[in-house]
Amino acid sequence: MPIKILGIETSCDETAAGVVVDGQTLLSNVISSQVDLHAKYGGVVPELASRQHVRDLIPVLEQAASDSGFGLEDMDAIAVTYGPGLAGSLITGVNAAKAISYSLGIPLLGVNHLEGHIYASWLSKGNLEDDPGFPLACLVASGGHTDLLLMEGHGRYKLVGRTRDDAAGEAFDKAARILGLGFPGGPEIQRVSAGATGEETLPRAWMKDTLDFSFSGIKTALLHIAQDRGLYPYPEDGVDQERLVCELAAAFQESVVDVISAKLVDMAAKYKVKGLVLGGGVTANSRLREEIIKRSPLPVIIPPPILCTDNGAMIAACGYFQYQRGDDTPMDIDVNPGLPLG
Ligand code: KG4
Ligand code: ZN
């Protein structure tokens, strides 16, 4: 019998739910974004985020069930993100999942958000001719994390590289703010970079002899250039603002893409993996995707951009493999805002 799992994701500013069959076939994926709510503050306001999740969660769940062609009562289990993320946001999803699990008498599966980002790739594995198998080199690059994880099997990870300061997504968001672009910064930087000629460059933070990253230095270098060139904090008269913003955005993007791609490919060689897996909002970046595919001699599994950013389907996909292992979560589970992986 195919196993249908409903996944709930409310760790940050997206209220999301999706239904997945056997961890691989996506039946529905509903995402209610709070971007407009937070944009004017230039970042996610936790209190506003949790209140909005409370408003949006039930309609999102109903839509995810109805889009799948099934009812909630047809689900075999319910998976939910219980960390890492914002405590108040996580609580709304976890409480809803507990209520559904209890009332329908189906298992509750608490999922690590970072592991969910990895399992988004299982939703696009059907497009591959051959499944590379384990071990895999996984990059999770999001607003809060930039992790290189060795995945030795389902649910088995070793953290082999991470950022020592800002996460890649956080760096994109801060760079966009310096350049006077909107929030979230990653998609904005990508958009304006498309018009650049490549005449500006920024340094790379290589951090020799480690798979760790550092992104705060590039951000500071960008800030100093923006100040020197009269772009920040207020653009000066006579500065060709639009052109300079495009060039600096592209320089920033290239600097981040170069370092991430190089370290991921190095890691893959060092650990003799069979394939690469990308996940997290930053891996929606088209230059990053292009560069990793170009540099990797191994198969690269990348979800479509909509499954790279936060969604409920990836949580359902991950939950399936926990379900298969009989790894049910007790009803008294609490949220864990700092939950690690690997
Ligand atoms: O995974 P995600 O949706 O949420 C977290 O778990 O944090 O990632 C959000 C991050 C934001 O920092 C956003 O700027 C970044 O992903 N992001 C991108 C792109 N789309 C989203 N960064 C670079 N290029 C993109 N196209
Ligand atoms: Zn995420």
Side-chain angles (χ1 to χ4, degrees), residues 11-14 113-114 117 141-145 168-173 183-190 253 279-286 308-310 314:
S11 67
C12 190
D13 62 339
E14 257 103 27
H113 180 78
L114 304 172
H117 275 306
S142 67
H145 293 81
E170 186 183 1
F172 267 101
D173 294 338
F183 173 83
E188 285 295 292
I189 299 244
Q190 177 176 323
Q253 179 173 263
V282 177
T283 65
N285 185 276
S286 54
C308 289
T309 46
D310 290 351
M314 69 185 197

Side-chain angles (χ1 to χ4, degrees), residues 15 33 38 87 106 117 122 135 165 169 191-192 224 228 329:
T15 317
S33 169
H38 302 287
I106 56 174
H117 275 306
W122 263 254
D165 40 58
R191 183 179 61 78
V192 303
H224 290 156
D228 292 349
T329 301

Side-chain angles (χ1 to χ4, degrees), residues 42-324:
V44 177
V45 183
E47 182 62 25
L48 293 181
S50 40
R51 287 172 194 226
Q52 196 60 36
H53 285 308
V54 172
R55 289 187 200 100
D56 290 340
L57 190 51
I58 300 295
V60 164
L61 284 171
E62 285 173 345
Q63 189 70 45
S66 92
D67 285 1
S68 76
F70 293 95
L72 280 182
E73 65 286 358
D74 298 317
M75 299 299 139
D76 294 287
I78 176 121
V80 64
T81 305
Y82 75 103
L86 301 169
S89 292
L90 290 164
I91 284 167
T92 59
V94 168
N95 282 348
K98 284 181 181 176
I100 295 169
S101 159
Y102 183 73
S103 60
L104 297 178
I106 56 174
L108 175 71
L109 304 158
V111 170
N112 183 313
H113 180 78
L114 304 172
E115 197 178 358
H117 275 306
I118 291 171
Y119 275 93
S121 280
W122 263 254
L123 297 167
S124 34
K125 265 192 169 186
N127 305 334
L128 287 183
E129 270 177 30
D130 295 308
D131 188 328
F134 296 111
L136 292 166
C138 306
L139 163 70
V140 179
S142 67
H145 293 81
T146 311
D147 291 344
L148 292 177
L149 292 141
L150 177 66
M151 184 178 190
E152 294 168 314
H154 288 294
R156 294 199 290 126
Y157 307 91
K158 266 196 198 119
L159 180 66
V160 298
R162 62 182 171 86
T163 182
R164 295 200 183 163
D165 40 58
D166 292 349
E170 186 183 1
F172 267 101
D173 294 338
K174 287 177 177 170
R177 208 172 308 156
I178 291 168
L179 296 174
L181 300 168
F183 173 83
E188 285 295 292
I189 299 244
Q190 177 176 323
R191 183 179 61 78
V192 303
S193 294
T197 62
E199 67 193 46
E200 299 285 345
T201 49
L202 282 168
R204 270 83 172 129
W206 286 115
M207 304 249 298
K208 291 261 175 327
D209 304 323
T210 171
L211 290 169
D212 285 354
F213 302 98
S214 166
F215 296 110
S216 72
I218 314 167
K219 175 199 64 192
T220 308
L222 175 71
L223 177 67
H224 290 156
I225 294 179
Q227 284 168 332
D228 292 349
R229 308 279 280 273
L231 202 60
Y232 186 89
Y234 304 107
E236 287 167 10
D237 284 350
V239 174
D240 183 355
Q241 187 191 1
E242 211 173 308
R243 190 196 59 78
L244 188 55
V245 165
C246 290
E247 296 299 338
L248 290 177
F252 177 83
Q253 179 173 263
E254 286 310 307
S255 175
V256 173
V257 164
D258 192 11
V259 176
I260 295 181
S261 315
K263 294 225 171 195
L264 177 61
V265 171
D266 281 358
M267 176 208 161
K270 181 171 174 192
Y271 290 94
K272 301 185 173 54
V273 300
K274 298 196 174 127
L276 276 57
V277 165
L278 311 192
V282 177
T283 65
N285 185 276
S286 54
R287 272 293 295 131
L288 182 64
R289 298 158 80 92
E290 180 181 80
E291 203 56 29
I292 291 172
I293 291 169
K294 195 171 95 189
R295 294 187 197 192
S296 173
L298 296 167
V300 185
I301 312 167
I302 318 182
I306 189 68
L307 293 175
C308 289
T309 46
D310 290 351
N311 66 86
M314 69 185 197
I315 303 304
C318 184
Y320 171 77
F321 292 92
Q322 287 179 212
Y323 180 89
Q324 289 295 84

